[in-house]
Amino acid sequence: MSNKDKRRIRHTNDNNDNNDDNDDDGRRVREKRQDGLKRSRRESPSTNQTTKWMKTRESPREDRPPQAEFQVHPRWKYEHPTSTFRKPMVIGDFSLDQTRKICHDRRNLHYITVDWKHSKKVKYDLNVSYDKTIKKNIQDTKQEKLDRLLDWILNNTSKFHTEQSKGQPLQCLSTDFVCFRGLLTELLCTPYENREGWIICATRFRDTVYLCAYETPEKQAQRQTETDMQKKMCSWGYKFEQYMIDGSDITEGVNENEEYCCVVRSRLESHSLVYGAEVDGADPSLYKTPHRDLSAFIELKTSKEVTSERDQNNMNRYKLKKWWSQSYLVGIPNVICGLRDVEGTVHTLQMYKVQDMPQLGKSHWRPHIMMNFVNKFLEFVKKNVQVDDPESVYKFEKQANGGNITCTYLGKDSEWAFLPKWYYEKIMKN
């Protein structure tokens, strides 16, 4: 791949939940692969450990370590009791305003009144005021990487002190992994995803591994060749949210930049996790402030109406798998799906309980296999990401069409590095 091609690759994060999940049919239309795009195989420079902290770890080889490989299949090797997953607890939140500037408040926390059970007939035209939509600049958002989450961490260092470190300068986050929920969702689905690949980069700093998802060349090519109709379908999810949010004026255009995000802490077996997640809204009859968990929250989705056995099979196999993954990771108990026609009008609201989704999809996916896979993959990451340096990067790449996961040490590679200097120079001084 040429340098020009490499520069085209853009970062992605949890914000993709809105684009890809609120209407998965648009994603399916884009699944046709672009031939001729090859994976990046980067040579990396040697790494010099210069800080006292870095020297506490065993010095790596001066040349690039040999590439390691993680075998995804066969799935039966994850067929054992599910890995222990601690209930996700909210440790903070923030909003993104109309220009995607971070605001350390709850201005974009919305409420969704649910005065019905199971299902409800409606008529929501998702094309209303489409011409007034303020679309998210995808090129810019792909460059955000982990920046918004890191900004929150800088403003909330007290959340990471232990009993022993209180009153002293922060030496580390006492957390194994920091990332966005979208990355963990993709990992959960990996054992059952044979079509698409992914790229995740990792950097270890003060004994915390930061994980950042990148857009593959294939996904970038799909996005760049989207038709106008496909782009409109991506916006239908945002419009559906506007219909569902209490007090919204549907004659107004949707600003797709605005978000409300929660930061949660959890643990998968021995791996402590802190991750950010955009959430749609809370049921006002259940919500209490301050919220320590997301049990009062609701996930909103749209999907084409189920009119055949094949449609139902696809729903159970693909969508419920991803919806379960997203919701389970943050402890959201219910998903409301707007079932729409091909013209973009929602005729039915359908309630799905997250705890019931595995039973509906049992012929296609198993939660314990997905959780056990993520546990093993995080062990693989810990084992291989050894250099403790905010400028050094490891690349984990899952090949498409059922391939394995490879790990390549890139060293100090500015094109793949994602921890900003403003973060790692300030975090331990607060």
Side-chain angles (χ1 to χ4, degrees):
M1 180 183 291
S2 67
N3 287 334
K4 184 177 181 181
D5 285 333
K6 293 171 186 172
R7 285 193 294 270
R8 289 197 187 104
I9 300 176
R10 292 294 183 260
H11 306 83
T12 185
N13 59 25
D14 194 61
N15 301 329
N16 285 345
D17 288 348
N18 263 337
N19 293 332
D20 293 337
D21 294 339
N22 284 347
D23 206 293
D24 285 344
D25 299 289
R27 178 181 65 82
R28 264 189 249 291
V29 173
R30 300 192 295 272
E31 283 177 353
K32 185 176 180 182
R33 297 273 190 262
Q34 295 289 325
D35 295 332
L37 290 170
K38 298 180 179 179
R39 304 288 191 200
S40 172
R41 292 292 181 266
R42 309 288 295 277
E43 294 296 326
S44 63
S46 61
T47 298
N48 295 316
Q49 293 177 306
T50 56
T51 69
K52 180 179 180 181
W53 181 271
M54 296 174 196
K55 290 178 181 178
T56 63
R57 299 189 63 83
E58 183 179 352
S59 298
R61 290 173 48 182
E62 288 303 314
D63 58 342
R64 187 182 70 182
Q67 189 174 58
E69 186 171 273
F70 181 90
Q71 291 189 339
V72 177
H73 298 288
R75 282 195 296 264
W76 56 258
K77 64 183 179 179
Y78 312 113
E79 190 68 69
H80 51 82
T82 188
S83 300
T84 302
F85 183 63
R86 183 183 296 172
K87 179 182 179 180
M89 302 302 293
V90 176
I91 60 173
D93 53 9
F94 60 90
S95 298
L96 298 183
D97 69 9
Q98 296 179 348
T99 63
R100 297 193 66 75
K101 176 184 176 182
I102 188 171
C103 306
H104 295 280
D105 54 39
R106 295 174 181 167
R107 67 183 65 188
N108 288 333
L109 169 58
H110 299 303
Y111 297 100
I112 302 167
T113 297
V114 184
D115 55 1
W116 47 274
K117 293 183 178 180
H118 308 302
S119 66
K120 179 182 179 180
K121 292 298 181 182
V122 296
K123 189 175 182 180
Y124 295 164
D125 183 357
L126 304 181
N127 298 294
V128 170
S129 300
Y130 176 72
D131 59 329
K132 299 178 184 178
T133 299
I134 301 176
K135 284 187 165 291
K136 188 183 299 183
N137 187 316
I138 301 300
Q139 289 294 95
D140 290 346
T141 58
K142 297 299 181 186
Q143 288 297 319
E144 289 177 2
K145 298 166 275 189
L146 298 184
D147 288 3
R148 302 299 183 266
L149 181 57
L150 300 179
D151 192 314
W152 180 87
I153 292 174
L154 274 179
N155 280 270
N156 293 273
T157 53
S158 62
K159 305 285 186 179
F160 297 91
H161 274 288
T162 63
E163 288 297 325
Q164 293 74 24
S165 69
K166 285 182 179 179
Q168 304 175 25
L170 190 66
Q171 294 299 311
C172 64
L173 298 185
S174 300
T175 302
D176 293 331
F177 294 97
V178 169
C179 62
F180 274 107
R181 173 185 60 171
L183 182 148
L184 295 174
T185 298
E186 189 151 41
L187 288 177
L188 278 172
C189 295
T190 294
Y192 295 98
E193 177 56 71
N194 294 321
R195 299 165 299 176
E196 297 185 348
W198 48 251
I199 295 173
I200 293 173
C201 282
T203 290
R204 182 185 289 273
F205 176 54
R206 295 291 181 100
D207 249 357
T208 292
V209 177
Y210 297 80
L211 299 174
C212 182
Y214 280 65
E215 193 173 47
T216 64
E218 290 85 356
K219 289 181 181 178
Q220 184 198 4
Q222 292 167 9
R223 176 171 53 81
Q224 291 176 341
T225 56
E226 282 181 339
T227 65
D228 290 341
M229 185 59 189
Q230 289 167 349
K231 293 176 182 177
K232 178 181 282 191
M233 290 169 68
C234 289
S235 292
W236 283 348
Y238 294 97
K239 191 65 181 182
F240 177 63
E241 291 176 10
Q242 188 185 50
Y243 270 99
M244 296 296 295
I245 291 170
D246 293 353
S248 292
D249 182 355
I250 63 167
T251 64
E252 295 182 354
V254 178
N255 189 318
E256 297 178 1
N257 293 294
E258 296 178 332
E259 295 179 11
Y260 173 68
C261 301
C262 287
V263 182
V264 302
R265 175 177 281 141
S266 185
R267 176 178 291 272
L268 177 61
E269 288 292 335
S270 64
H271 313 300
S272 56
L273 306 162
V274 168
Y275 45 99
E278 180 192 0
V279 291
D280 296 325
D283 183 337
S285 68
L286 301 174
Y287 179 78
K288 295 180 181 179
T289 184
H291 51 278
R292 296 195 61 210
D293 59 44
L294 296 179
S295 59
F297 281 71
I298 297 168
E299 193 78 25
L300 298 175
K301 301 293 181 184
T302 62
S303 182
K304 189 169 71 68
E305 292 172 321
V306 176
T307 59
S308 66
E309 184 177 344
R310 180 180 180 183
D311 289 344
Q312 188 63 63
N313 186 66
N314 286 336
M315 169 74 82
N316 295 343
R317 182 175 184 180
Y318 299 110
K319 295 197 174 185
L320 293 188
K321 175 185 64 181
K322 195 164 188 179
W323 296 355
W324 176 85
S325 299
Q326 288 179 319
S327 302
Y328 185 74
L329 282 168
V330 292
I332 290 179
N334 296 303
V335 173
I336 295 177
C337 179
L339 296 171
R340 58 159 184 82
D341 60 27
V342 294
E343 301 298 327
T345 298
V346 173
H347 296 285
T348 305
L349 301 180
Q350 183 71 48
M351 176 77 77
Y352 289 91
K353 291 187 177 297
V354 174
Q355 66 181 15
D356 295 340
M357 291 180 182
Q359 180 65 24
L360 295 172
K362 65 179 181 179
S363 298
H364 309 288
W365 52 274
R366 301 288 181 88
H368 67 281
I369 287 180
M370 297 160 71
M371 297 297 289
N372 291 339
F373 164 79
V374 175
N375 177 47
K376 290 299 182 183
F377 175 74
L378 293 180
E379 288 179 2
F380 178 71
V381 173
K382 277 184 178 178
K383 179 180 179 181
N384 285 279
V385 179
Q386 288 296 307
V387 177
D388 199 305
D389 177 3
E391 298 178 354
S392 294
V393 183
Y394 293 77
K395 185 172 77 168
F396 294 84
E397 186 170 6
K398 164 70 168 60
Q399 301 297 328
N401 302 318
N404 290 325
I405 300 169
T406 56
C407 170
T408 307
Y409 175 54
L410 304 180
K412 295 179 184 290
D413 191 318
S414 60
E415 289 194 50
W416 293 93
F418 58 89
L419 274 191
K421 193 173 183 180
W422 55 258
Y423 172 76
Y424 64 75
E425 285 191 344
K426 186 183 291 187
I427 182 63
M428 300 305 164
K429 294 180 181 178
N430 283 354

mmCIF file with all atom_site columns, all heavy atoms in Angstrom, residues 248-259:
data_model
loop_
_atom_site.group_PDB
_atom_site.id
_atom_site.type_symbol
_atom_site.label_atom_id
_atom_site.label_alt_id
_atom_site.label_comp_id
_atom_site.label_asym_id
_atom_site.label_entity_id
_atom_site.label_seq_id
_atom_site.pdbx_PDB_ins_code
_atom_site.Cartn_x
_atom_site.Cartn_y
_atom_site.Cartn_z
_atom_site.occupancy
_atom_site.B_iso_or_equiv
_atom_site.pdbx_formal_charge
_atom_site.auth_seq_id
_atom_site.auth_comp_id
_atom_site.auth_asym_id
_atom_site.auth_atom_id
_atom_site.pdbx_PDB_model_num
ATOM 1  N N   . SER A 1 248 ? -39.486 16.756 21.545 1.00 0.00 ? 248 SER A N   1
ATOM 2  C CA  . SER A 1 248 ? -38.813 17.087 20.283 1.00 0.00 ? 248 SER A CA  1
ATOM 3  C C   . SER A 1 248 ? -39.799 17.683 19.285 1.00 0.00 ? 248 SER A C   1
ATOM 4  O O   . SER A 1 248 ? -40.988 17.347 19.276 1.00 0.00 ? 248 SER A O   1
ATOM 5  C CB  . SER A 1 248 ? -38.171 15.841 19.677 1.00 0.00 ? 248 SER A CB  1
ATOM 6  O OG  . SER A 1 248 ? -37.096 15.405 20.470 1.00 0.00 ? 248 SER A OG  1
ATOM 7  N N   . ASP A 1 249 ? -39.295 18.555 18.424 1.00 0.00 ? 249 ASP A N   1
ATOM 8  C CA  . ASP A 1 249 ? -40.066 19.132 17.322 1.00 0.00 ? 249 ASP A CA  1
ATOM 9  C C   . ASP A 1 249 ? -39.605 18.468 16.033 1.00 0.00 ? 249 ASP A C   1
ATOM 10 O O   . ASP A 1 249 ? -38.518 18.747 15.540 1.00 0.00 ? 249 ASP A O   1
ATOM 11 C CB  . ASP A 1 249 ? -39.841 20.638 17.255 1.00 0.00 ? 249 ASP A CB  1
ATOM 12 C CG  . ASP A 1 249 ? -40.675 21.310 16.152 1.00 0.00 ? 249 ASP A CG  1
ATOM 13 O OD1 . ASP A 1 249 ? -41.357 20.586 15.392 1.00 0.00 ? 249 ASP A OD1 1
ATOM 14 O OD2 . ASP A 1 249 ? -40.616 22.552 16.053 1.00 0.00 ? 249 ASP A OD2 1
ATOM 15 N N   . ILE A 1 250 ? -40.443 17.572 15.489 1.00 0.00 ? 250 ILE A N   1
ATOM 16 C CA  . ILE A 1 250 ? -40.013 16.792 14.327 1.00 0.00 ? 250 ILE A CA  1
ATOM 17 C C   . ILE A 1 250 ? -39.932 17.624 13.055 1.00 0.00 ? 250 ILE A C   1
ATOM 18 O O   . ILE A 1 250 ? -39.391 17.155 12.043 1.00 0.00 ? 250 ILE A O   1
ATOM 19 C CB  . ILE A 1 250 ? -40.933 15.573 14.090 1.00 0.00 ? 250 ILE A CB  1
ATOM 20 C CG1 . ILE A 1 250 ? -42.363 16.034 13.760 1.00 0.00 ? 250 ILE A CG1 1
ATOM 21 C CG2 . ILE A 1 250 ? -40.905 14.642 15.285 1.00 0.00 ? 250 ILE A CG2 1
ATOM 22 C CD1 . ILE A 1 250 ? -43.229 14.932 13.216 1.00 0.00 ? 250 ILE A CD1 1
ATOM 23 N N   . THR A 1 251 ? -40.448 18.849 13.090 1.00 0.00 ? 251 THR A N   1
ATOM 24 C CA  . THR A 1 251 ? -40.334 19.706 11.899 1.00 0.00 ? 251 THR A CA  1
ATOM 25 C C   . THR A 1 251 ? -38.946 20.312 11.799 1.00 0.00 ? 251 THR A C   1
ATOM 26 O O   . THR A 1 251 ? -38.576 20.880 10.766 1.00 0.00 ? 251 THR A O   1
ATOM 27 C CB  . THR A 1 251 ? -41.379 20.833 11.932 1.00 0.00 ? 251 THR A CB  1
ATOM 28 O OG1 . THR A 1 251 ? -41.128 21.696 13.043 1.00 0.00 ? 251 THR A OG1 1
ATOM 29 C CG2 . THR A 1 251 ? -42.781 20.260 12.039 1.00 0.00 ? 251 THR A CG2 1
ATOM 30 N N   . GLU A 1 252 ? -38.184 20.210 12.867 1.00 0.00 ? 252 GLU A N   1
ATOM 31 C CA  . GLU A 1 252 ? -36.810 20.705 12.840 1.00 0.00 ? 252 GLU A CA  1
ATOM 32 C C   . GLU A 1 252 ? -35.882 19.644 12.258 1.00 0.00 ? 252 GLU A C   1
ATOM 33 O O   . GLU A 1 252 ? -36.123 18.442 12.389 1.00 0.00 ? 252 GLU A O   1
ATOM 34 C CB  . GLU A 1 252 ? -36.344 21.070 14.249 1.00 0.00 ? 252 GLU A CB  1
ATOM 35 C CG  . GLU A 1 252 ? -37.091 22.238 14.876 1.00 0.00 ? 252 GLU A CG  1
ATOM 36 C CD  . GLU A 1 252 ? -36.558 22.571 16.252 1.00 0.00 ? 252 GLU A CD  1
ATOM 37 O OE1 . GLU A 1 252 ? -35.693 21.811 16.752 1.00 0.00 ? 252 GLU A OE1 1
ATOM 38 O OE2 . GLU A 1 252 ? -37.001 23.577 16.827 1.00 0.00 ? 252 GLU A OE2 1
ATOM 39 N N   . GLY A 1 253 ? -34.810 20.097 11.640 1.00 0.00 ? 253 GLY A N   1
ATOM 40 C CA  . GLY A 1 253 ? -33.801 19.162 11.155 1.00 0.00 ? 253 GLY A CA  1
ATOM 41 C C   . GLY A 1 253 ? -32.995 18.601 12.312 1.00 0.00 ? 253 GLY A C   1
ATOM 42 O O   . GLY A 1 253 ? -32.873 19.226 13.372 1.00 0.00 ? 253 GLY A O   1
ATOM 43 N N   . VAL A 1 254 ? -32.463 17.410 12.131 1.00 0.00 ? 254 VAL A N   1
ATOM 44 C CA  . VAL A 1 254 ? -31.660 16.764 13.168 1.00 0.00 ? 254 VAL A CA  1
ATOM 45 C C   . VAL A 1 254 ? -30.204 17.207 13.037 1.00 0.00 ? 254 VAL A C   1
ATOM 46 O O   . VAL A 1 254 ? -29.648 17.217 11.941 1.00 0.00 ? 254 VAL A O   1
ATOM 47 C CB  . VAL A 1 254 ? -31.737 15.234 13.059 1.00 0.00 ? 254 VAL A CB  1
ATOM 48 C CG1 . VAL A 1 254 ? -30.863 14.574 14.117 1.00 0.00 ? 254 VAL A CG1 1
ATOM 49 C CG2 . VAL A 1 254 ? -33.179 14.759 13.198 1.00 0.00 ? 254 VAL A CG2 1
ATOM 50 N N   . ASN A 1 255 ? -29.605 17.570 14.155 1.00 0.00 ? 255 ASN A N   1
ATOM 51 C CA  . ASN A 1 255 ? -28.165 17.810 14.176 1.00 0.00 ? 255 ASN A CA  1
ATOM 52 C C   . ASN A 1 255 ? -27.493 16.517 14.623 1.00 0.00 ? 255 ASN A C   1
ATOM 53 O O   . ASN A 1 255 ? -27.579 16.139 15.792 1.00 0.00 ? 255 ASN A O   1
ATOM 54 C CB  . ASN A 1 255 ? -27.809 18.955 15.126 1.00 0.00 ? 255 ASN A CB  1
ATOM 55 C CG  . ASN A 1 255 ? -26.345 19.375 15.003 1.00 0.00 ? 255 ASN A CG  1
ATOM 56 O OD1 . ASN A 1 255 ? -25.457 18.529 14.890 1.00 0.00 ? 255 ASN A OD1 1
ATOM 57 N ND2 . ASN A 1 255 ? -26.095 20.669 15.016 1.00 0.00 ? 255 ASN A ND2 1
ATOM 58 N N   . GLU A 1 256 ? -26.851 15.831 13.707 1.00 0.00 ? 256 GLU A N   1
ATOM 59 C CA  . GLU A 1 256 ? -26.294 14.507 13.982 1.00 0.00 ? 256 GLU A CA  1
ATOM 60 C C   . GLU A 1 256 ? -25.024 14.548 14.819 1.00 0.00 ? 256 GLU A C   1
ATOM 61 O O   . GLU A 1 256 ? -24.487 13.501 15.185 1.00 0.00 ? 256 GLU A O   1
ATOM 62 C CB  . GLU A 1 256 ? -26.029 13.786 12.655 1.00 0.00 ? 256 GLU A CB  1
ATOM 63 C CG  . GLU A 1 256 ? -27.301 13.534 11.847 1.00 0.00 ? 256 GLU A CG  1
ATOM 64 C CD  . GLU A 1 256 ? -27.030 12.860 10.511 1.00 0.00 ? 256 GLU A CD  1
ATOM 65 O OE1 . GLU A 1 256 ? -25.836 12.580 10.227 1.00 0.00 ? 256 GLU A OE1 1
ATOM 66 O OE2 . GLU A 1 256 ? -27.982 12.610 9.753  1.00 0.00 ? 256 GLU A OE2 1
ATOM 67 N N   . ASN A 1 257 ? -24.536 15.759 15.126 1.00 0.00 ? 257 ASN A N   1
ATOM 68 C CA  . ASN A 1 257 ? -23.302 15.874 15.906 1.00 0.00 ? 257 ASN A CA  1
ATOM 69 C C   . ASN A 1 257 ? -23.537 15.723 17.401 1.00 0.00 ? 257 ASN A C   1
ATOM 70 O O   . ASN A 1 257 ? -22.630 15.345 18.138 1.00 0.00 ? 257 ASN A O   1
ATOM 71 C CB  . ASN A 1 257 ? -22.648 17.236 15.643 1.00 0.00 ? 257 ASN A CB  1
ATOM 72 C CG  . ASN A 1 257 ? -22.132 17.381 14.234 1.00 0.00 ? 257 ASN A CG  1
ATOM 73 O OD1 . ASN A 1 257 ? -21.203 16.693 13.834 1.00 0.00 ? 257 ASN A OD1 1
ATOM 74 N ND2 . ASN A 1 257 ? -22.744 18.266 13.465 1.00 0.00 ? 257 ASN A ND2 1
ATOM 75 N N   . GLU A 1 258 ? -24.747 16.012 17.850 1.00 0.00 ? 258 GLU A N   1
ATOM 76 C CA  . GLU A 1 258 ? -25.018 16.036 19.279 1.00 0.00 ? 258 GLU A CA  1
ATOM 77 C C   . GLU A 1 258 ? -25.081 14.619 19.861 1.00 0.00 ? 258 GLU A C   1
ATOM 78 O O   . GLU A 1 258 ? -25.669 13.725 19.270 1.00 0.00 ? 258 GLU A O   1
ATOM 79 C CB  . GLU A 1 258 ? -26.336 16.764 19.546 1.00 0.00 ? 258 GLU A CB  1
ATOM 80 C CG  . GLU A 1 258 ? -26.299 18.231 19.154 1.00 0.00 ? 258 GLU A CG  1
ATOM 81 C CD  . GLU A 1 258 ? -27.621 18.930 19.387 1.00 0.00 ? 258 GLU A CD  1
ATOM 82 O OE1 . GLU A 1 258 ? -28.673 18.252 19.343 1.00 0.00 ? 258 GLU A OE1 1
ATOM 83 O OE2 . GLU A 1 258 ? -27.606 20.145 19.611 1.00 0.00 ? 258 GLU A OE2 1
ATOM 84 N N   . GLU A 1 259 ? -24.502 14.457 21.042 1.00 0.00 ? 259 GLU A N   1
ATOM 85 C CA  . GLU A 1 259 ? -24.488 13.147 21.693 1.00 0.00 ? 259 GLU A CA  1
ATOM 86 C C   . GLU A 1 259 ? -24.509 13.318 23.209 1.00 0.00 ? 259 GLU A C   1
ATOM 87 O O   . GLU A 1 259 ? -24.094 14.356 23.739 1.00 0.00 ? 259 GLU A O   1
ATOM 88 C CB  . GLU A 1 259 ? -23.237 12.346 21.317 1.00 0.00 ? 259 GLU A CB  1
ATOM 89 C CG  . GLU A 1 259 ? -23.139 11.951 19.861 1.00 0.00 ? 259 GLU A CG  1
ATOM 90 C CD  . GLU A 1 259 ? -21.867 11.170 19.558 1.00 0.00 ? 259 GLU A CD  1
ATOM 91 O OE1 . GLU A 1 259 ? -21.185 10.760 20.526 1.00 0.00 ? 259 GLU A OE1 1
ATOM 92 O OE2 . GLU A 1 259 ? -21.553 10.981 18.380 1.00 0.00 ? 259 GLU A OE2 1
#
